[in-house]
């Protein structure tokens, strides 16, 4: 071990201090570890050495000339000096040059107060300039995109933004045009720079050249109250800083956590927080449309629930939650329904999934250290953008290989060493075939006709998995049909049993806390921590003798029972079944038949309109608690804004109190502590342990179901594949959102052969019909999926694509009409 | 729409064969040269086409193209007249020569005569300090320039 340490690290002296750092560390980073500041502009640790700004010149003994600390890897025995007269003169000289044409408009510049150029000039710069000529004037404040403003006069051509576009985003959208002093950051033909990750250039810009258009001139940076919190959009749970002033959201910036986001956030995180001040928020509890006090509303909910349970039994009430809730909120709700109302009618999703994994739960960092990533049915670019960046980094800079198995084309195909496209709806057969191949047997002969993937190709996938040392499987359970998730987990179990390969997996459902919702037991058949109903003794020990042991209704079954009149009361929490459930257009009618519908949500939704009682949910920005990301990392989401409404878990505890619960948690941390005590896997989750970088929860029990034989599907027309879109026009990103320019028109993606069969051309306006519903869309002949299927991106709530899907069916058949 | 003609396509095959597949972006400069030879200047459509062939973004092609002053992104005249404006030529009076040429051709620096015959440009350095001031017309150098010599040289280009 000792020898390994000696070869992996180097020891050098910087300004008399001895530093030991890993081999390959740049001197500028080595200096940081002992609190010596070497000023930089162009260098950024995530972008690597570049050396164009010359700000970090240092002297090294035995080197004839000064050298840039950002391009010099620390060497054994190096003696570095950063404060000599020569270095100081160089720093002054470089800054004088940098400032030659830089306008001194700091008093009106948004970067003022947090500007590296300003700071470095104060610390290292000359007090004056010798420049006698007029400054070179360039365009002030022009839009680089609808959300980013570029001030080319302030630009010092450090190229951080263009290198970010090239190295991190991988699309080279932003480049340096022209040369010399006419150097100019721009896009091709000055088109808007509107990628999914464009906002990060604002944070890395060391001057005020790139600024947030929405934040411009709204507050000085030193007047902001900055709260370290988490993003509440996708399931990556990136760390971010919420800047607020006078209890209003002003801006969102990155808060680097290498274990989660690698220092970046997507544009939805940066500009997708307008909902905190939207007029569509539910701000007050109401009963039959009239505002009421929160206590009155809770009393009413509890009394009604109690009356219904007494009259029709516990199975007549139900709870539909969602992965948008915090662990504390979801935990409280399942506890309310299980221990206070005595029912397992609890669910949070419409697809099949089970908690836990038969193999290790890999964290995001494992993506980089694996030899092979197997990406199944997932489109990280649209679903989990920061995973997209992590995968690109692993593929292009860490030498990781990737296999993509998907029924639709994604931007990830470009980075994969093998990309297989199976027929829409054939994932069950494909995964069963993969399982057979992993077991070393040959697949069934009709595999290719059903899935569009040959057994040889699957054999190649199996061989790659077997020959790799460490394999990370990333799968999206939402995009798997029927009960193929069980087949997938059997595959994982088989792969996990391979002698020479370490296999881990990451369930990549896109919703914020989908892993947490599974862990918290918001499921009809599993208690928190993956505790199966069959384990009656363990359940009784933890949840008391009255804890229900019979399987409850799933979300879709609850809707069905509401329609038939067997379910009398439903609490819908942070979910909008009328739009987001399959056969959504029929959900409304079913919900109207309920004696009691309570909607507990953040925004006004179609479902909330039908509710007798509406309760306000505070949501990201206002709420506090923990979420579990796709890597199983539990992190603390803190609040940057305050409201008079009680927290969601508090509302639940008020209802529970009315139902006779004697003890109530004092604050949210008491709920977190209760989770640590009650939920397997969360034993170590304490506020102090997760405050900085979060902490991986231990494995929860893996409760797998048996896969039904999803053979071939019969029907006429094409099989529907609904694709997620990052900037979807929904309740969170409404028409007034900063990101409204990113909304897409409704399109339907067809294969050439199917387009011919239906006689449609590129750009045709068509109606996609099925399940007694139709969706208008424009035809794109993109071959995005195999013949026999069509891809319909879910671009808005209004579009209503989920109504095309038939509730309870593995696949849905649709047809095209002109 | 831009498409390389057959002659260019034959050349491109030869050029691309010189570089390994993962380094094919090295063919960027030769391809820009071909595109310019074909159209007279590098059109945005040509940048898109070249980007697709070499697996880089059109923005990247544009950045390279605008870095080099011998690639034109706007239409130019039959003869491109360039004056060196760097230090040796500057000390030897290139400013006056440029002014003289502007008057003579009736256009400003960066412009093209209405008959599309001459385009007047400045150049940062033509690497011929010993014979400053220097003027370049298309690929030919004219050294130790004077107003009279400008008359004589430009007159020889029909």
């Amino acid at each position: 071990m000792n020898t390994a340490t000696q070869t992996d690290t180097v020891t050098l002296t910087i300004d008399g201090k001895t530093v030991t750092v890993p081999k390959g560390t740049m001197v500028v980073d080595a200096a940081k570890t002992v609190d010596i500041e070497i000023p930089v502009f162009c260098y950024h640790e995530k972008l690597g050495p570049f050396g164009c700004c010359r700000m970090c010149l240092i002297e090294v003994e035995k080197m004839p000339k000064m050298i840039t600390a950002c391009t010099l890897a620390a060497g054994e025995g190096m003696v570095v000096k950063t404060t000599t007269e020569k270095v100081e003169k160089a720093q002054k000289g470089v800054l004088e040059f940098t400032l030659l044409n830089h306008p001194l408009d700091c008093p009106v510049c948004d970067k003022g107060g947090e500007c590296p150029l300003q700071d470095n000039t104060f610390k290292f710069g000359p007090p004056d300039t010798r420049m006698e000529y007029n400054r070179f004037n360039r365009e002030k404040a022009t839009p680089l995109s609808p959300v980013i403003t570029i001030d080319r006069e302030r630009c010092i051509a450090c190229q951080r933004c263009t290198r970010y576009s090239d190295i991190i985003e991988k699309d080279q959208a932003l480049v340096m045009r022209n040369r010399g002093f006419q150097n100019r950051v721009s896009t091709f033909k000055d088109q808007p720079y509107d990628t999914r990750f464009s906002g990060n250039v604002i944070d890395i810009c060391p001057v005020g050249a790139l600024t947030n258009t929405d934040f411009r001139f709204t507050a000085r940076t030193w007047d902001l109250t900055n709260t370290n919190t988490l993003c509440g959009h996708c399931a990556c749970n990136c760390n971010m800083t919420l800047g607020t002033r006078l209890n209003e959201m002003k801006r969102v910036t990155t808060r680097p956590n290498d274990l989660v986001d690698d220092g970046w956030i997507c544009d939805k995180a940066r500009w997708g927080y307008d909902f905190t001040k939207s007029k569509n928020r539910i701000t007050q509890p109401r009963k039959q449309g009239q505002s009421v006090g929160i206590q009155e509303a809770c009393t009413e909910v509890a009394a009604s629930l109690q009356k219904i349970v007494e009259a029709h039994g516990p199975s007549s009430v139900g709870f539909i939650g969602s992965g948008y809730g915090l662990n504390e909120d979801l935990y409280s709700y399942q506890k309310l329904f299980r221990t206070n109302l005595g029912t397992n009618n609890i669910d949070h999703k419409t697809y099949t999934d089970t908690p836990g994994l038969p193999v290790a739960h890999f964290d995001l960092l494992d993506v980089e250290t694996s030899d092979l990533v197997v990406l199944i049915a997932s489109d990280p670019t649209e679903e989990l953008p920061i995973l997209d960046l992590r995968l690109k980094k692993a593929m292009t800079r860490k030498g990781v290989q990737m296999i993509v198995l998907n029924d639709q084309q994604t931007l990830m195909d470009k980075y994969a060493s093998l990309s297989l496209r199976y027929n829409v709806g054939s994932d069950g057969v494909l995964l069963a075939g993969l399982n057979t191949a992993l077991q070393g047997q040959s697949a069934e002969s009709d595999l290719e006709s059903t899935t569009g993937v040959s057994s040889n190709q699957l054999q190649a996938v199996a061989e790659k998995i077997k020959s790799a040392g460490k394999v990370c499987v990333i799968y999206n359970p939402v995009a798997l049909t029927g009960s193929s998730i069980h087949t997938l987990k059997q595959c994982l179990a088989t792969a996990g049993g391979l002698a020479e390969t370490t296999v881990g997996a990451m369930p990549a459902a896109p919703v914020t806390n989908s892993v947490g919702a599974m862990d918290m037991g918001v499921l009809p058949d599993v208690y928190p921590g993956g505790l199966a109903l069959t384990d009656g003794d363990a359940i009784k020990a933890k949840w008391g003798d009255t804890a229900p042991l019979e399987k409850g209704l799933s979300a879709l079954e609850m809707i069905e029972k509401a329609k038939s009149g067997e379910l009398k009361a439903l609490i819908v929490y942070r979910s909008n079944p009328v739009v987001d459930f399959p056969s959504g257009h029929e959900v409304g009618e079913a919900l109207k038949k309920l004696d009691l519908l309570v909607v507990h949500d953040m925004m006004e939704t179609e479902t909330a309109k039908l509710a007798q009682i509406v309760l306000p949910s505070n949501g990201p920005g206002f709420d506090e608690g923990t979420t579990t990301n796709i890597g199983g990392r539990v992190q603390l989401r803190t609040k940057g804004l305050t409201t008079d409404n009680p927290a969601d878990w508090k509302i639940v505890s008020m209802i529970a109190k009315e139902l006779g619960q004697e003890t109530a948690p004092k604050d949210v941390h008491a709920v977190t502590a209760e989770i640590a005590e009650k939920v397997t896997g969360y034993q170590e989750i304490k506020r102090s342990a997760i405050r900085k970088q979060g902490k991986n929860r231990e494995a929860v029990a893996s409760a797998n179901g048996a896969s039904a034989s999803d053979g071939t599907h019969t029907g006429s027309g094409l099989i529907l594949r609904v694709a997620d879109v990052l900037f979807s026009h929904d309740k969170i990103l409404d028409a007034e959102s900063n990101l409204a320019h990113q909304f897409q028109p409704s399109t339907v993606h067809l294969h050439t052969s199917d387009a011919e069969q239906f006689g449609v051309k590129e750009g045709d306006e068509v109606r996609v019909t099925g399940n007694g519903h139709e969706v208008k869309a424009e035809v794109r002949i993109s071959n995005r999926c195999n013949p026999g299927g069509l891809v319909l991106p879910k671009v808005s709530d209004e579009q209503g694509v989920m109504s095309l899907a038939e509730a309870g069916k593995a696949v849905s058949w649709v047809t095209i009409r002109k | 729409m831009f498409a390389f003609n057959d002659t260019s396509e034959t050349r491109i095959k030869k050029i691309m064969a010189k570089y390994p597949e993962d380094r094919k972006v090295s063919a960027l400069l030769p391809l820009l040269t071909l595109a310019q030879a074909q159209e007279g200047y590098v059109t945005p459509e040509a940048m898109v086409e070249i980007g697709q062939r070499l697996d880089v973004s059109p923005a990247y092609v544009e950045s390279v193209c605008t870095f080099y002053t011998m690639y034109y992104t706007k239409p130019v005249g039959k003869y491109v007249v360039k004056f060196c404006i760097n230090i040796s030529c500057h000390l030897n009076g290139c400013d006056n020569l440029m002014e003289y040429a502007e008057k003579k051709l009736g256009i400003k620096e960066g412009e093209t005569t209405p008959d599309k015959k001459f385009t007047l440009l400045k150049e940062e350095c033509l690497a011929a300090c010993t014979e400053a001031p220097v003027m370049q017309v298309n690929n030919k150098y004219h050294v130790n320039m004077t107003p009279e010599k400008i008359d004589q040289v430009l007159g020889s280009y029909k």
Side-chain angles (χ1 to χ4, degrees), chain A residues 199-442:
Chain A
N200 289 317
V201 298
I202 298 168
D203 287 347
I204 58 174
C205 181
V207 297
L210 294 163
T211 48
N212 183 334
T213 306
D214 184 45
F215 176 65
R216 269 173 82 83
F217 307 131
T218 57
R220 297 315 314 235
T221 53
W222 54 86
D223 282 339
L224 291 176
T225 309
N226 288 317
T227 311
N228 291 341
T229 186
L230 304 181
C231 175
H233 287 304
C234 83
C236 290
N237 299 172
C238 299
N239 295 197
M240 63 180 213
T241 302
L242 185 67
T244 58
R245 183 154 194 253
L246 306 175
N247 207 25
E248 191 180 323
M249 195 282 295
K250 290 292 177 195
R251 69 164 183 187
V252 171
T253 47
T254 51
R255 177 166 69 93
N257 180 351
D258 287 358
L259 301 173
V260 180
D261 48 44
D262 214 20
W264 315 112
I265 56 175
C266 70
D267 284 4
K268 192 164 175 180
R270 193 175 302 267
W271 288 294
Y273 278 83
D274 294 335
F275 67 82
T276 56
K277 39 190 174 184
S278 165
K279 56 179 188 297
N280 288 324
R281 284 182 74 86
I282 298 174
T283 51
Q284 281 205 318
R286 51 173 200 264
K287 185 179 140 189
Q288 313 288 7
Q290 303 293 316
S291 291
V292 291
I294 187 73
Q295 184 57 53
E296 192 188 335
C298 290
T299 312
E300 174 75 24
V301 171
S304 304
L305 284 174
Q306 199 155 26
K307 220 160 70 187
I308 290 167
V309 169
E310 274 163 18
H312 305 280
S315 62
S316 62
V317 296
F319 171 70
I320 296 178
S322 86
Y324 286 110
L326 294 165
N327 286 335
E328 285 71 12
D329 307 331
L330 294 167
Y331 172 85
S332 302
Y333 259 122
Q334 67 82 28
K335 189 181 165 195
L336 173 83
F337 274 78
R338 287 194 166 120
T339 62
N340 299 104
L341 294 165
T343 178
N344 271 327
N345 291 348
I346 300 165
D347 204 359
H348 73 282
K349 58 183 176 44
T350 56
Y351 53 90
T352 316
D353 199 1
T354 53
L357 291 167
V359 291
H361 194 140
F362 273 178
D363 200 358
L364 281 156
L365 206 57
D366 287 306
V367 171
E368 285 175 28
T369 57
S370 293
D371 300 308
L372 178 71
V373 170
V374 184
L375 190 67
I376 302 174
S378 174
D379 179 8
T381 318
E382 298 287 2
E383 294 162 359
L384 300 156
I386 292 302
L387 175 64
D388 165 274
L389 289 189
R390 180 78 73 167
L391 284 169
K392 284 181 195 164
K393 179 184 177 188
M395 300 314 132
T396 57
R397 286 189 284 152
K398 300 279 172 182
V400 182
Q401 300 255 311
M402 178 161 68
I403 297 177
V404 172
L405 297 175
N406 207 333
D407 51 359
Q408 62 158 340
Q409 192 181 346
T410 67
L411 291 173
M412 280 294 123
D413 293 339
K414 199 172 130 189
Y415 302 94
S417 48
L418 179 64
S419 172
L420 299 180
R421 195 145 331 135
Y422 55 84
N423 294 340
V424 179
S426 72
D427 41 343
V429 182
L430 180 94
L431 291 166
L434 180 60
N435 196 19
T436 323
L438 281 170
Q439 284 162 345
Q441 294 154 10
S442 59

Side-chain angles (χ1 to χ4, degrees), chain A residues 172 175-179 188, chain B residues 44 56-57 59 62-63 66-67:
Chain A
Q172 299 172 323
V175 292
M176 281 311 230
R177 200 193 286 177
N178 300 334
R179 66 197 242 181
F188 181 56
Chain B
V56 289
S57 74
E62 194 185 27
S63 81
T66 54
F67 181 86

Side-chain angles (χ1 to χ4, degrees), chain B residues 3-128:
Chain B
F4 282 110
N5 59 29
D6 292 345
T7 333
S8 303
E9 287 292 358
T10 326
R11 293 282 305 279
I12 290 171
K13 266 199 197 104
K14 276 190 191 153
I15 295 165
M16 301 284 273
K18 288 186 202 165
Y19 308 105
E21 177 62 23
D22 60 336
R23 302 279 168 84
K24 60 182 173 187
V25 68
S26 306
L28 183 48
L29 293 184
L31 258 60
L32 282 170
T33 310
L34 281 177
Q36 175 156 307
Q38 199 178 308
E39 306 274 301
Y41 70 107
V42 186
T43 60
E45 292 79 17
M47 292 183 198
V48 175
E49 169 70 25
I50 293 172
Q52 270 166 5
R53 282 176 189 244
L54 305 182
D55 229 356
V56 289
S57 74
Y60 181 79
V61 180
E62 194 185 27
S63 81
V64 172
C65 182
T66 54
F67 181 86
Y68 295 100
T69 49
M70 282 170 77
Y71 291 126
Y72 311 124
T73 50
K74 281 187 292 189
V76 289
K78 189 175 172 194
Y79 304 109
V80 180
V81 182
K82 289 173 184 165
F83 281 97
C84 174
I85 56 159
N86 217 306
I87 192 141
S88 301
C89 294
H90 183 78
L91 291 173
N92 282 292
C94 71
D95 287 2
N96 296 336
L97 292 178
M98 176 67 107
E99 213 170 287
Y100 181 81
E102 282 181 347
K103 261 194 205 135
K104 182 178 167 64
L105 297 172
I107 50 171
K108 290 272 172 225
E109 189 275 320
E111 293 176 351
T112 304
T113 51
D115 61 358
K116 304 272 187 282
K117 205 164 149 196
F118 291 106
T119 297
L120 193 56
L121 296 174
K122 59 186 179 194
E123 185 65 79
E124 218 38 79
C125 180
L126 288 174

Side-chain angles (χ1 to χ4, degrees), chain A residues 494-512:
Chain A
T494 310
L498 295 172
E500 321 250 299
T501 311
T502 315
V503 179
M506 203 187 284
V511 173
T512 323

